[in-house]
Each structure stands twice: as C-alpha cells, then as structure tokens.
Amino acid sequence: MKKIFFTIALSLVVTTLVMAQKQINLPLIPLPQKLEIGQGGFEINESTVLYSESEDAINDLNFLQAYITDHYGITLKSTIGAKQKKSVSVKRNATMKPDAYTLRIDSMSVRIEGGSGAGVFYGIQTLIQLLPAGKTTKLHVASVNIEDEPRFSWRGMHLDVSRHFFTVKEVKKYLDYLAMYKLNTFHWHLTDDQGWRIEIKKYPKLTSISAYRKGTLIGHYSETPERYDTIQYGGFYTQDEIRDVVAYASARHITVVPEIEMPGHALAALAAYPMLACTSGPFEVGRSWGVFKDVFCPLDVTFNFLEDVLTEVTDLFPGKYIHIGGDECPKDRWKESPFCQELMKRNGLKDEHELQSYFVQRIGKFLQTKNKKMIGWDEILEGGIAEDATIMSWRGYSGGVQAAKLKHDVVMTPTAYCYFDYYQSTSPSEPLAIGGYLPLSMVYKFEPVADVLSADEAKYILGTQGNLWTEYIGDFKKVEYMTMPRMAALAEVAWTAKERKDYSSFASRLSSHTKLLSFLNINYSKAFYDISTRVTPNGDRGINVELLCAYPNGQIRYTTNMTEPNSSSPIYDKKFSYDQSMMLKAALFEGPQMKGNVFSQRYLVNYATGKEIVLQDQPDPEYNKGGGFTLVNGILGNLPWNGNDWLGFQKTGLNATIDLGMARGISQVTLDVLSDSVSWIYPPSSMEVLVSENNIDFTSVGKLDSISIRKAGRQATIKFSKKEVRFVKVIATTAGKIQAGAPGAGNDSWIMVDEISVN
Ligand code: TNX
C-alpha cells in the first residue's frame, strides 16, 4: 500500500514536472490563464479546411487564412458551416465573456470559441504562435487545451509620429505586432511641437506648414554645442489614410486613440496659425526636443480652432476615447499675458494651473457633445480634474492613484516601467536613446495596480500601455528594436493574471518565440541575454567580481585575454577576485550558440581599489546607487552617463577619505568627473588631495582651481612628489549657482564623480 502510494506520488511529481517543462517550451506570449498540454498534435496542411461555425466569425477566420497564405504559401479553403473532422473551426459563443476564448487542439481538429470577434481573434493569435516559425507546408501544432481571458481591458501601445514620421505601411506593421500580443489599444500621438501629422480639411496650413520642420537636432539633446541638419523633414496622413489605418486596426480588434496635444506641445500648430498663441510670433516648427514655452493661448479663437479640429478628428476615429495631451505645458506665456490674467480674474481662477484646468474642462465638455470620452496625461489633475476624464499616469504611480481615489478611470504608464524610448541595455554598443534604463525584466516586473488602492479603487485601473517617444528613433527598424521584445513583456503584464507571472518562464518562452520574430523579419533586441557585473570589496586584495544574467538558462563563458568568448571558453561558475587590472569578456551560451551580445568590462585595480572609503557627506539619494564604494570599485562610470556608477552631489561637495590599508608610496590621484550642463552637471570648481599617515593630520599635496574636461567627461588628475602614506583625502567642490542663460539657471549645480585612482 505504502509502496503504491509512493509510486503514485512519484509519478504525479514526474508528470507535473513534465507538464511544467512542456508549458515552458510552448512559446506563448502572453501566457494563457489555463493551459494543458496533451500528447501529439494536429497537422494543418493543404487539405485542411477552415470552418466558421457562425457567420459572425468569418472575418477573423479569413485573417487566419490570409496569415497562413502570406507566411507559408498555402491557401486553405475557408467556409461557413458545421465543423468537420480534420478541420480548423472558429465560433462565437455568447455565453462567454467577450474577450475570452478557448482553443482546443487534438489529433482530429483545432477548435476556437470566443465570446466575441475579439475573443475568436485572440484564439487565432494563440494558434498562430503555435505554428512553426519557418517556411513549411506541414504546419504541426501541439495538442493543447486552453481557456483564456485578459486581466485588463486597456492593453496598449503608443507611437509618437511627430518627432519622427512613420508611413502607413510601417504603422500597419506596428499594429500587426500589437495584434500578435493581444494588445487592443493603439495610442497614436499625432501632434507635437516638431510636426502635425493629421490632415484637417478646415485648416490646410496644418499640413502644408505644421507638418514640416526645416531641420532636426543631431545627436543627443544634452550635447553642447547644439548641432542641426538643414534637411526639411516631415509628413502627414491624409484623412483617407487615417481611415485606412483605423479599419486595419479594427480588423485586428484594436481601437485607435488619437492624441491631439493641447495646451502645450503645440508649436507646430502655432507656426501655421500664430493667432492661437499669447504672443504674436512668428513661430517655427520645432527642430529640437524638449518643452517649448509657446503654447496655445486660451482665446476664443483657439477654442474655435480646437473644436473644429476635434470635430474632424472625432469623425475619423470611431473609438470612444480622444487623447488631448495636457502634459508639460509651461505657464510662462499665460503669466505674461494680460488676456490670460483677466480671464483668470473673470472666472475666479486662482493660478495658471486652474487656467489649464479651465482649458481642459472646456475641451472635455465639447468632447461630451460629440459622445467621446477625454483622456489626458496626469498633468490634467493639476488645478482640478475635468468631469469624467480618464488619466494616463506617466510621472510614476501617484497621478494614477490620485485619480482612482477620485473615482476616475486610469491607464498606468509610469516612465520607470513603460517608457520604451529608454535604454534596454547598458552595453556601450547600444544605439542612441533618450536616457534612462528599462531592461526587459523591469518591464515584466511592472504591477499596474498600486498596492495602496483598495479593491474598489483598483477597479478604476483600466490597464496599461507602453509608450514609444521617437526623438531618437528615426526609422522603423529602430522602432522594432526599441519595442521588441519589451512589448511582449508588457503584454503579459496586461493580459496574464498576476499570480501566473514568472520572469524565468517568460524569458524561456521568449527565447523560443524569438524564432517567430526572426521568421517575421522583426529587428528585436537581444538585450535580455545581457550579462552584467557586480563588484564587492575583497579586503586588502582588490575586488571580487561576479557576472549576472537575468535570463535563466544557458551558461556564461568568459575570456580574460581580450579574445571574444566562444562555446569552448571556460564556463563562469564562481566569482573572481582581482588584485590587478583585468579585461573580462563574457557571453551567454545555450549549447554551442551564443545568445545576446558580448559583455566586456575593464576592471581597474590600483592602491585605492576595494579599500575602505569614508564620505563626510552623503551623495544625493537619487544618485547614490552604490555608496562610497562606487568610487573605488574598479569600474569607471559609463558614458553616456545613465546614473549608474556615478555619485551625485548638489548640496555639498565630495569629501572622501580612503584607507589604503598600509603605507604606500604614491604620487598621483585621479578623480572621474562629469560635465553635462543640460542636466545641471558641471565639473567641480576645485579639487584638492590631502594625505595622512594617521588619519588625523592631513597635508595638502595639490589643488586644482579649474578643471577642464575633455568632451562629455572624465578625469581630473593631481600629481605630486612621492609620499609614503596610508590615508588619502579627496575634496571636490560644486560650481555653485548655475549662471543665467544656462539650463537650470539660478539653481544649485551638481557634481557627478566616480572612480578615485591612487597610484
Ligand atoms: C515626456 S511623457 C513627454 C514627451 C517626451 C518624453 C520623452 C509625456 C506625456 N511627455 O513629450 O517625448 O517625455 O521620454
């Protein structure tokens, strides 16, 4: 008895393991809520017939038929009728929730049922992910039993077509990717300072003038001096093209939410219609990035214009939402304008935030007359939220939380998890991005419902979306690179139950799913295979170095002789200790195949590396990832600067004392510093090195009263005649208030410092 029980228990364990293992192998993203995997499967081939059991599912079935023709070159018969043996059938089933579906595959048939067309379509998308990721005419699909439905109703992706323009064909490709991941909302950012992209019949200058800029900033916004090209850049969508895109989206059960920015980010419109501004202009379509002070003025002529625009827009987009922007509207012009001040007085508005709220509410009322719901960025909470407005929370969770507590609907898109214009890798070979760091694992970690919300308040969280701002994304291949596969991670956040989420399962499924991405010729990023490093002090003997990878499978292989790692390089299995400078290269391998990029890092070891360091004043908490050890960890802070491995001081300067452990003969101390005036970062106004034998009496061995820095950064050095000392103190002072005319004028400047080398 005991033995039998044991055997059953063991076989249960084994079966569960096999199931779990198999589950991981099916490359399904987002992961279905319920998934069972059976034996064998079904083969779709030239003789398979596609049946729609109900007439209302035929369009979705035709989508499948077209997909199979386009990707495998076989055209299957698609008809309406009762399901047959050896067939693929679809059906709407009104007893199911609209977005829910079931997909049952065995050796006899493939059956999809959905609560609505959308449900059927999602079942088809799951089937498509099970098809072979390569050209063949025998399409074997695994036997599965899936019951599935989404967690959130708003599962979106945004695309900024103002900063860079993307053609209808490219926008349709983007929609294909949304469809593949069961995303249902396309937020189309159609207007901004740098270009107006939608034809409005009543205002032809919006397309003849506002759609084109005379040039574009070259390189990053933070670079000085600014450089521009002089190439006219632009484009727009005609109303016919807009209708075409909307129909294409609708066939994929995607709603398009158009965004017409107001009252800020309006420079392109003002360039054509300067009378909508508070000053007389003239204005030029933006050639640089950032925020511009010239915004819509709350004049009657402006409201008439916007209402005319929105009338045409609401006619073109059948969805219930219109996005009115509302973000980043500087109040300078309104403050200076006698008209605005008078308007505020007349309406009892206490400040310009309330004036913005007045602006937004007036537009909101107009949209109500058109039977549309208004959505805006979280700034529209400032000065009082408009009745019935939905909030898109981008500056962290707080706007979303505030709105949900006020019983307003919310879409969560906080920058820290949803901004796909941020870097996804710290690799120096990464293409230029706006900044920030948002690796795939971080997107996956995102939980749209803040834990401070009660169950009732949580109902106002409609869902989430990823945003793609395109200041630094000039072509569609880069759109793909920045969104894929972060879009896949976000889709799983939006679709799959929180309890079912698991990064290592996701990463394994993604690794198989990349075959499909390659088959579809999508330029996806392999950064999720990236290797990173963690360094810790190793007492008197330099540093310990660990290699880490968020991807759960495979092995890290490395070299220390400058050669590229290959499948026979040694496997990394425990941390290294370095007491001299070393170049480490490493990569992730699954079997013989190298995944991702080669990681390479130079670890610099000198007398200070890994030694005890005491900071008199702590860095600003925002720029203090690793504490004082950051300055002696053997790793140079990266350029372009992304906040990693640099310490930032604003209120105080740097005052660091290093204990070399024993008296050493030293004659040179170097400090890494940054210069990036756009981010208010300046080289220290002075740097001094002092030495001591007892940590009490210090003698100055050198001082620099101005520090000139090569390009974006690096290295202020003080040399002196050799001293036998144990303690070294480095003092660097901030440059004080930022001068008039420079970004952040009048504020305290920052210093950013990194490695202190003592030789
Ligand atoms: C902020 S997010 C913006 C955009 C920029 C973006 C860059 C938001 C509502 N406004 O205008 O493109 O940052 O990340």
Side-chain angles (χ1 to χ4, degrees):
M1 180 65 199
K2 223 171 157 190
K3 199 173 160 196
I4 293 172
F5 176 75
F6 178 71
T7 318
I8 294 172
L10 184 70
S11 66
L12 273 179
V13 170
V14 171
T15 326
T16 329
L17 284 178
V18 169
M19 288 290 280
Q21 189 59 40
K22 273 194 167 171
Q23 182 157 326
I24 283 171
N25 284 339
L26 285 187
L28 295 178
I29 298 173
L31 183 67
Q33 312 295 7
K34 255 192 184 171
L35 162 66
E36 288 165 14
I37 299 159
Q39 295 293 318
F42 184 82
E43 186 183 285
I44 301 174
N45 56 38
E46 273 134 345
S47 55
T48 307
V49 181
L50 308 176
Y51 284 98
S52 175
E53 288 187 58
S54 50
E55 211 162 302
D56 50 10
I58 190 71
N59 286 344
D60 299 300
L61 189 69
N62 289 344
F63 178 91
L64 175 65
Q65 183 199 35
Y67 184 92
I68 290 175
T69 307
D70 291 352
H71 295 91
Y72 303 99
I74 49 176
T75 302
L76 306 183
K77 203 172 145 219
S78 138
T79 64
I80 298 172
K83 67 168 177 278
Q84 311 271 328
K85 280 189 177 166
K86 292 282 177 191
S87 65
V88 175
S89 68
V90 299
K91 174 180 171 179
R92 285 204 201 178
N93 175 345
T95 65
M96 295 167 66
K97 288 191 207 156
D99 287 349
Y101 74 91
T102 58
L103 168 63
R104 302 187 204 283
I105 304 178
D106 54 32
S107 59
M108 298 308 288
S109 62
V110 173
R111 283 162 295 146
I112 293 170
E113 289 191 17
S116 67
V120 170
F121 186 76
Y122 299 144
I124 288 173
Q125 290 308 318
T126 302
L127 175 62
I128 285 175
Q129 290 192 354
L130 292 173
L131 293 174
K135 198 145 182 186
T136 157
T137 51
K138 298 197 187 326
L139 315 179
H140 179 85
V141 282
S143 165
V144 289
N145 193 353
I146 291 175
E147 288 174 25
D148 204 7
E149 65 182 48
R151 177 179 176 199
F152 289 108
S153 65
W154 185 299
R155 304 182 303 279
M157 277 300 301
H158 150 289
L159 180 65
D160 167 9
V161 294
S162 170
R163 275 58 176 268
H164 283 101
F165 180 69
F166 301 97
T167 63
V168 168
K169 200 169 155 210
E170 291 165 339
V171 171
K172 286 181 175 175
K173 267 198 197 174
Y174 198 68
L175 290 167
D176 289 342
Y177 307 156
L178 271 73
M180 167 159 69
Y181 297 125
K182 305 184 176 76
L183 298 172
N184 66 354
T185 308
F186 173 47
H187 173 171
W188 205 359
H189 186 78
L190 286 164
T191 74
D192 214 305
D193 300 303
Q194 299 82 1
W196 182 283
R197 306 279 175 236
I198 174 171
E199 177 190 26
I200 300 294
K201 304 262 190 214
K202 189 154 185 186
Y203 297 99
K205 284 199 270 179
L206 286 174
T207 36
S208 64
I209 294 177
S210 311
Y212 299 93
R213 57 179 180 253
K214 293 197 186 107
T216 303
L217 186 76
I218 298 171
H220 197 269
Y221 184 68
S222 63
E223 285 172 27
T224 43
E226 288 165 21
R227 291 170 303 141
Y228 293 88
D229 67 34
T230 50
I231 305 162
Q232 159 153 306
Y233 182 91
F236 66 93
Y237 309 103
T238 65
Q239 294 203 348
D240 280 343
E241 288 174 324
I242 297 268
R243 275 187 279 268
D244 181 30
V245 168
V246 168
Y248 189 89
S250 163
R252 284 150 186 78
H253 300 277
I254 296 167
T255 305
V256 185
V257 177
E259 179 177 353
I260 306 296
E261 273 267 24
M262 63 189 81
H265 288 292
L267 191 58
L270 300 184
Y273 298 100
M275 69 283 201
L276 309 176
C278 288
T279 56
S280 56
F283 306 107
E284 190 198 323
V285 179
R287 291 181 298 136
S288 179
W289 317 126
V291 171
F292 295 85
K293 286 187 182 154
D294 290 298
V295 301
F296 284 128
C297 198
L299 301 157
D300 283 339
V301 54
T302 306
F303 287 106
N304 292 339
F305 165 85
L306 289 171
E307 290 179 5
D308 290 341
V309 167
L310 290 174
T311 298
E312 293 191 32
V313 169
T314 53
D315 283 348
L316 288 166
F317 295 91
K320 70 175 171 193
Y321 282 102
I322 302 288
H323 201 302
I324 55 93
D327 59 311
E328 302 179 319
C329 177
K331 309 292 184 296
D332 307 55
R333 297 294 181 260
W334 294 358
K335 281 189 182 144
E336 296 152 6
S337 149
F339 168 82
C340 291
Q341 295 307 313
E342 170 58 28
L343 181 69
M344 285 164 59
K345 239 190 250 154
R346 228 182 316 130
N347 288 280
L349 306 171
K350 83 169 187 299
D351 59 17
E352 287 74 19
H353 291 297
E354 290 197 0
L355 180 55
Q356 169 159 322
S357 172
Y358 163 90
F359 195 117
V360 171
Q361 297 198 20
R362 219 168 130 170
I363 295 294
K365 289 211 180 82
F366 174 75
L367 288 174
Q368 279 177 350
T369 69
K370 295 277 170 195
N371 251 323
K372 296 287 182 187
K373 272 187 84 127
M374 177 167 74
I375 180 164
W377 300 108
D378 57 45
E379 283 92 333
I380 69 169
L381 281 160
E382 294 160 1
I385 184 170
E387 190 191 319
D388 210 26
T390 300
I391 294 295
M392 195 164 260
S393 187
W394 71 282
R395 295 174 302 172
Y397 276 85
S398 62
V401 167
Q402 195 190 335
K405 286 188 184 288
L406 292 168
K407 302 193 189 312
H408 282 254
D409 285 341
V410 173
V411 176
M412 293 300 298
T413 100
T415 53
Y417 300 96
C418 298
Y419 271 46
F420 297 170
D421 57 338
Y422 287 11
Y423 283 102
Q424 55 196 319
S425 164
T426 53
S427 162
S429 56
E430 205 58 10
L432 181 68
I434 193 163
Y437 177 50
L438 176 53
L440 185 72
S441 53
M442 185 85 170
V443 179
Y444 194 81
K445 241 189 248 162
F446 179 44
E447 169 47 42
V449 179
D451 52 14
V452 296
L453 294 178
S454 69
D456 263 354
E457 290 161 351
K459 290 192 190 121
Y460 291 98
I461 308 297
L462 301 181
T464 180
Q465 83 178 21
N467 292 341
L468 195 68
W469 302 101
T470 58
E471 288 95 330
Y472 302 95
I473 303 175
D475 63 67
F476 193 72
K477 279 287 154 208
K478 197 162 172 189
V479 168
E480 293 182 340
Y481 184 80
M482 299 305 278
T483 52
M484 305 294 251
R486 288 188 284 195
M487 190 192 293
L490 186 93
E492 193 147 312
V493 170
W495 181 281
T496 306
K498 192 177 166 185
E499 308 72 50
R500 277 180 74 67
K501 276 176 60 195
D502 169 44
Y503 185 72
S504 85
S505 146
F506 170 74
S508 297
R509 280 179 281 123
L510 176 62
S511 191
S512 322
H513 169 79
T514 56
K515 294 195 193 82
L516 176 58
L517 300 182
S518 303
F519 182 46
L520 298 176
N521 200 18
I522 295 171
N523 180 34
Y524 67 93
S525 160
K526 297 187 174 90
F528 67 101
Y529 297 115
D530 271 6
I531 291 165
S532 61
T533 185
R534 179 163 56 213
V535 179
T536 45
N538 184 21
D540 243 3
R541 287 182 297 277
I543 45 175
N544 294 320
V545 170
E546 281 172 86
L547 297 178
L548 312 160
C549 181
Y551 180 69
N553 307 328
Q555 292 105 8
I556 297 174
R557 294 179 184 271
Y558 69 95
T559 63
T560 50
N561 60 0
M562 306 287 279
T563 61
E564 298 299 287
N566 60 39
S567 59
S568 50
S569 304
I571 292 179
Y572 166 83
D573 54 5
K574 65 174 193 330
K575 60 184 169 203
F576 306 98
S577 301
Y578 286 154
D579 58 6
Q580 52 188 304
S581 296
M582 188 66 74
M583 179 74 194
L584 186 62
K585 291 188 175 227
L588 187 85
F589 288 82
E590 268 187 311
Q593 207 192 349
M594 190 200 288
K595 305 280 188 178
N597 302 314
V598 175
F599 161 88
S600 53
Q601 176 70 54
R602 179 172 293 286
Y603 302 89
L604 298 169
V605 179
N606 56 69
Y607 288 139
T609 314
K611 299 291 158 40
E612 212 174 293
I613 177 166
V614 176
L615 301 182
Q616 183 186 288
D617 305 296
Q618 292 312 303
D620 186 279
E622 275 218 55
Y623 301 102
N624 185 16
K625 281 211 181 123
F629 177 60
T630 305
L631 304 181
V632 291
N633 66 359
I635 293 180
L636 294 182
N638 41 357
L639 289 174
W641 165 69
N642 67 1
N644 282 331
D645 221 85
W646 291 97
L647 296 185
F649 296 85
Q650 186 186 32
K651 301 269 171 301
T652 65
L654 169 75
N655 183 324
T657 307
I658 301 166
D659 179 353
L660 304 179
M662 58 192 284
R664 302 279 192 183
I666 63 168
S667 57
Q668 176 173 323
V669 173
T670 295
L671 174 70
D672 261 29
V673 292
L674 261 190
S675 174
D676 183 0
S677 62
V678 170
S679 302
W680 308 5
I681 300 166
Y682 288 82
S685 57
S686 72
M687 169 186 164
E688 185 173 16
V689 172
L690 303 99
V691 296
S692 166
E693 282 160 54
N694 57 11
N695 203 14
I696 299 167
D697 311 304
F698 279 89
T699 329
S700 177
V701 288
K703 188 167 183 201
L704 295 174
D705 281 318
S706 76
I707 294 173
S708 66
I709 296 189
R710 273 186 287 127
K711 216 166 163 225
R714 214 130 254 188
Q715 295 195 351
T717 299
I718 292 181
K719 291 186 178 166
F720 46 92
S721 60
K722 195 164 182 174
K723 299 272 179 311
E724 284 283 330
V725 285
R726 177 170 163 183
F727 296 92
V728 177
K729 191 190 286 292
V730 178
I731 297 177
T733 50
T734 66
K737 293 256 181 276
I738 299 170
Q739 287 181 0
N747 288 285
D748 290 326
S749 61
W750 288 77
I751 55 169
M752 286 278 167
V753 297
D754 183 34
E755 209 65 4
I756 299 176
S757 309
V758 177
N759 292 292

